């Protein structure tokens, strides 16, 4: 046997031994725990300790006795309990029956501190026994609450008992199979949304939030944090390249909720990176680039002017319109809109911002007729590329000095740069000319015809579609190569990760989930991405350029379509779409298997019950607003009072939020991790969404002890299959 093969076989055997050792021997120091309270949910409690809404009942079953909400959305019940030490770690242990199909939301009712969700049945077998949720939380009030709410029709929330424990500390997980030198696989936490640091983890600011993320990362063995550095409207740090802006939601001591913002954010990322260096943790900045101020400021979105020959670096669509907005939910969240909204609020007691009637969007952004969700800016235009590269260069120069900084990732939503998003975009004069020059394919379209854009679309997608799609993919891959080189100029080992989402792409491009979006009805995910400009097969041999795929199949149980809480009334195709493509889209899985170090992001997608969501200016003399109008040590530029209002149902406090992720119950929580390793041989797994998942620490500790012992290199395939042997 050749020496190299002998070495790799030996390393494989060593890795297998490490995997077994870590799975059995991952250890932690023991922290002291103290039981504060036990609640038997089948008993009766006074109104100041218990409330219910809907036909709540006590059930006797083979699984045991428990309390169950009505099997209709938003039926709920809840309890109050007290703690002694605000801001210290606690654990709440909830026993619930795994005896029927359920979709329950668990929360404190106001913030995300205690928020989690549980799915049982349907795609996972029932045990017929009691299961547990063991949620870590840092209470921000001595008087706490926990609420159980039904989300899906026919999927009732239920609980048998509750225990509240005070913890002296969160024990640190020791992973003996990981020497900490970057040679092992990566396990981490990922945020899609950066706005919850003041309403989750019991924190009111980034200082407290960093402390608790660090503590939980050590406790669960998740060494990597992926968090937005640039969100829907540009950088979240004090950028010199682009207009910056940050906003967050924060809870006051009396439970009132506020939204605050600034166009001059402080550099809390530097603080985090310094802390991570001391703690042995790693950070990757994610970019959900939909807009950049320099592009918004000078864009031309006048479709009539462009039809007459006017220049634009915005995308021109297949319907002859210029893409003047993203066609999604994001325009509101540009903080440069908030000053105008504040002026509007001076004359009104409150407004519902999602209900319309707001001032025009900043920079004149507006949707053009017939333009669906998609990127505003042409990713091949030099002006657009220069702006993106400028931001990447600044990030590298600013943060590359920190060894804890590992690079950046691009969240590829349907409406994000730098890709076309779909086959519907990219028919402008610049792109058409470049395509003809580089391929020799002449377009039989009058270059001055006002409808030339739609006629190009018909020709390019009907006559020479393969060449058109392949050329776009090659150009986008080349641009990502430039992005990687620009970042690496600051430090050669920095990486660029392209994170391909399906949860935000499929409904945006193809419409409501149904039979037409089912497996084998539509194109596979790889081809869907190719039509938007990203061919995963082109990224297999580019050092420092990685591909991650997003998986979020709990979305099948709620969140999309005209009936997002349909539950047992939903048709089969609505309950299997994301899951089938995550697990059965073999063509796409095969392409990912070819990546040298493939990655998976498990998205903790959430369901939203907004109620009547209202914004208002704080009342004169509002002491909360005065205390909270500070962001990272600097005065915020503005603050709104916010709240979601619902019909009164006995809940004790007015301020409420009902946004909840969905997790598979019991051991099934680990299914996407096992799938990522078994099918993709994933070298990197991150998971998260709106806030930190703190309800699965035991499962994560078990997984981390084994997974982080594996070498950061893919297994060799033996024969035609890795089953049952891998090296």
């Amino acid at each position: 046997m050749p020496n190299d093969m002998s070495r790799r076989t030996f390393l494989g055997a060593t890795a297998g031994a490490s995997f077994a050792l870590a799975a059995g021997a991952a250890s932690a120091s023991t922290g002291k725990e103290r039981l504060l309270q036990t609640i038997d949910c089948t008993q009766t409690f006074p109104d100041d300790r218990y409330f219910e809404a809907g036909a709540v009942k006590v059930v006797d079953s083979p699984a045991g006795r428990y309390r169950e909400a009505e099997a209709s959305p938003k039926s709920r019940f809840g309890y109050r309990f007290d703690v002694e030490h605000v801001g210290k770690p606690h654990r709440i242990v909830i026993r619930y029956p795994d005896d029927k199909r359920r979709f329950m939301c668990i929360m404190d009712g106001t913030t995300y501190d205690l928020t989690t969700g549980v799915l049982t049945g349907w795609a996972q077998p029932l045990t017929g026994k009691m299961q547990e949720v063991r949620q870590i939380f840092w209470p921000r009030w001595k008087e706490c609450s926990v609420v159980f709410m039904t989300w899906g029709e026919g999927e009732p929330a239920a609980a048998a008992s509750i225990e509240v424990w005070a913890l002296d500390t969160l024990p640190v997980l020791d992973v003996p199979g990981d020497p900490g030198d970057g040679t092992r696989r990566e396990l981490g936490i990922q945020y899609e949304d950066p706005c919850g640091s003041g309403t989750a983890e019991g924190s009111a600011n980034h200082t407290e939030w960093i402390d608790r993320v660090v503590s939980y990362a050590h406790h669960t063995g998740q060494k990597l944090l992926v968090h937005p550095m640039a969100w829907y409207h540009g950088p979240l740090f004090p950028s010199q390249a682009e207009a910056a802006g940050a906003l967050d939601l924060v809870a006051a001591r009396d439970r009132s909720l506020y939204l605050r913002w600034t166009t001059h954010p402080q550099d809390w990322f530097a603080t985090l990176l310094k802390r991570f260096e001391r703690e042995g943790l790693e950070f990757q900045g994610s970019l959900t680039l939909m807009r950049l101020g320099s592009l918004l400021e000078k864009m031309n979105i006048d479709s009539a002017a462009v039809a007459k020959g006017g220049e634009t670096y915005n995308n021109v669509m297949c319907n002859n319109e210029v893409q003047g907005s993203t066609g999604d939910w994001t325009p509101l969240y540009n903080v440069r809109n908030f000053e105008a909204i504040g002026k509007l609020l001076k004359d009104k007691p409150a407004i519902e911002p999602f209900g319309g009637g707001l001032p025009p969007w900043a920079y004149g952004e507006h949707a053009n007729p017939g333009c669906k969700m998609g990127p505003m800016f042409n990713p091949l235009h030099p002006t657009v590329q220069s702006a993106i590269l400028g931001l990447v260069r600044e990030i590298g120069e600013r943060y590359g000095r920190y060894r804890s900084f590992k690079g950046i990732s691009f969240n590829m939503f349907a409406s994000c740069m730098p890709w076309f998003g779909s086959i519907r975009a990219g028919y402008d004069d610049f792109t058409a000319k470049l395509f003809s020059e580089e391929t020799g394919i002449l377009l039989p379209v009058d270059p001055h015809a006002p409808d030339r854009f739609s006629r190009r679309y018909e020709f390019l997608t009907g006559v020479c579609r393969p060449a058109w799609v392949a050329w776009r993919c090659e150009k986008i891959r080349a641009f990502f190569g430039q992005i990687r080189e620009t970042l690496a100029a600051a430090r050669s080992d920095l990486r660029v990760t392209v994170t391909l989402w399906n949860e935000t792409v499929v409904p945006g491009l193809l419409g409501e989930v149904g039979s037409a979006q089912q497996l084998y009805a539509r194109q596979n995910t790889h081809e869907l991405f190719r039509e938007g400009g990203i061919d995963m097969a082109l990224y297999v041999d580019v050092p420092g350029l990685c591909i991650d795929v997003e998986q979020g199949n709990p979305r099948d149980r709620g969140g999309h379509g005209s009936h997002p809480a349909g539950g047992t009334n939903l048709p089969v195709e609505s309950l299997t779409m994301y899951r089938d493509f995550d697990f059965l889209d073999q063509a796409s899985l095969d392409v990912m298997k070819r990546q040298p170090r493939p990655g998976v992001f498990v998205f903790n997608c959430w369901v939203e019950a907004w109620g009547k969501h209202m914004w208002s200016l704080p009342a004169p003399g509002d002491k909360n607003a005065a205390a909270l109008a500070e962001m990272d040590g600097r005065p915020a530029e503005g603050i709104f009072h916010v709240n979601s209002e619902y019909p009164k149902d006995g809940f004790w406090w007015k301020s409420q939020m009902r946004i909840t992720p969905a997790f598979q119950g019991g051991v099934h929580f680990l299914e996407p991790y096992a799938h990522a390793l078994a099918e993709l041989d994933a070298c990197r797994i991150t998971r998260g969404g709106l806030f930190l998942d703190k309800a699965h620490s035991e499962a994560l500790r078990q997984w981390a002890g084994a997974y982080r012992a594996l070498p950061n290199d893919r297994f060799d395939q033996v024969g035609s299959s890795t089953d049952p042997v891998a090296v």
Side-chain angles (χ1 to χ4, degrees), residues 283-607:
F283 179 83
Q284 180 171 298
S286 65
L287 314 178
T288 311
L289 286 187
M290 297 183 180
R291 301 161 184 82
L292 289 173
S294 65
L295 298 176
L296 289 166
E297 188 175 17
K298 298 178 181 179
M299 67 183 179
N300 177 10
I301 57 175
D302 185 335
S303 296
V306 171
K308 293 177 181 178
E311 293 186 5
T312 185
Y313 47 73
N314 285 63
N315 274 315
V316 180
M317 310 302 289
C318 60
N319 64 352
N320 299 305
E321 296 289 340
V322 177
Q323 188 82 346
S325 189
T326 50
D328 55 25
W329 66 94
T330 63
L332 170 65
Y333 296 105
N334 190 336
V335 298
R336 282 157 182 78
N337 293 320
F338 290 177
E339 183 177 355
I341 293 174
K343 292 178 180 178
L344 176 66
L345 284 170
K346 288 183 179 179
D347 301 322
K348 297 182 179 181
I351 62 169
E352 194 168 7
F354 302 140
L358 295 179
W361 299 132
Y363 301 101
E365 176 183 343
H366 66 268
N368 281 331
C371 288
K372 298 182 179 180
M373 190 180 295
M376 295 175 66
F377 303 112
N378 181 353
L380 303 189
H381 198 283
T383 301
V384 176
Q385 293 194 352
S386 178
I388 295 172
L389 292 174
L391 178 63
V392 170
R393 184 178 301 108
E394 181 181 39
I395 291 173
E397 292 173 350
R398 178 181 283 270
Y399 301 111
R401 74 190 72 161
Y402 301 102
R403 302 308 300 180
S404 56
F405 181 65
K406 295 302 174 182
I408 60 175
S409 59
F410 286 82
N411 289 320
M412 303 311 296
F413 292 11
S415 48
C416 282
M417 301 181 282
W419 72 331
F420 287 105
S422 76
I423 199 70
R424 300 194 297 256
Y427 299 94
D428 57 284
D429 295 339
F430 170 82
T431 305
K433 181 181 178 183
L434 187 64
F435 173 73
S436 291
E437 289 175 348
E438 294 190 356
T439 66
I441 298 173
L442 301 179
L443 307 186
V445 177
D446 180 351
H448 303 292
D451 63 345
R452 60 190 180 276
F453 315 110
S454 60
R455 290 166 64 183
R456 286 171 184 156
Y457 167 77
E458 292 172 4
F459 176 78
L460 289 167
T461 60
V463 177
C464 52
R465 190 186 192 104
W468 174 236
V469 171
W471 177 81
R472 286 163 35 126
C473 289
E474 291 280 1
K475 298 296 288 185
I476 295 296
R477 213 293 294 150
F479 181 45
F480 271 115
Q482 286 184 268
I483 291 172
R484 153 64 186 162
E485 291 173 5
T486 300
L487 186 68
R491 207 178 81 212
S492 61
D493 64 326
L494 294 177
R495 71 182 176 216
V496 172
T497 302
V498 181
T499 304
L500 296 170
W501 289 63
N502 58 54
E503 192 274 340
T504 54
V505 170
V506 171
L509 300 184
L510 304 180
E512 290 186 6
V513 170
S515 58
Q517 284 80 41
Q518 187 49 269
L519 190 70
Y520 309 125
R522 72 160 171 87
Q523 68 223 114
N524 63 54
T525 301
H526 173 50
E527 288 300 323
L528 185 67
F529 293 150
R530 286 189 76 243
E531 288 198 347
I534 294 179
D535 184 343
M536 293 185 286
L538 298 178
Y539 294 73
V540 298
D541 59 354
V542 186
L545 192 54
C546 307
I547 293 284
D548 284 7
V549 289
E550 176 263 336
Q551 297 183 351
N553 59 78
R555 174 62 79 198
D556 286 329
R557 293 281 288 268
H560 279 321
S562 58
H563 201 178
T568 56
N569 293 331
L570 291 174
V572 171
E573 58 267 24
S574 294
L575 288 166
T576 57
M577 202 291 296
Y578 290 108
R579 184 176 181 83
D580 282 359
F581 277 94
D582 281 355
F583 286 83
L584 302 177
D585 183 358
Q586 196 61 47
S588 300
L589 293 175
D590 287 344
V591 178
M592 276 300 293
K593 288 177 184 177
R594 294 170 54 194
Q595 305 298 322
R597 287 183 174 84
V600 171
F601 166 47
V602 184
F603 178 42
N604 295 340
C605 44
W606 55 82
V607 295

Side-chain angles (χ1 to χ4, degrees), residues 617-639:
L617 291 178
D622 186 327
K623 295 181 180 179
N624 289 329
L628 296 174
E630 180 183 280
M631 300 180 72
D632 301 309
R634 183 169 180 166
E637 292 178 40
I639 186 167

Side-chain angles (χ1 to χ4, degrees), residues 142-155:
K142 287 194 172 183
E143 287 187 303
C144 300
S145 55
V146 59
V147 179
F148 303 86
M149 185 176 79
T150 298
W151 179 262
E153 290 187 4
E155 302 178 307

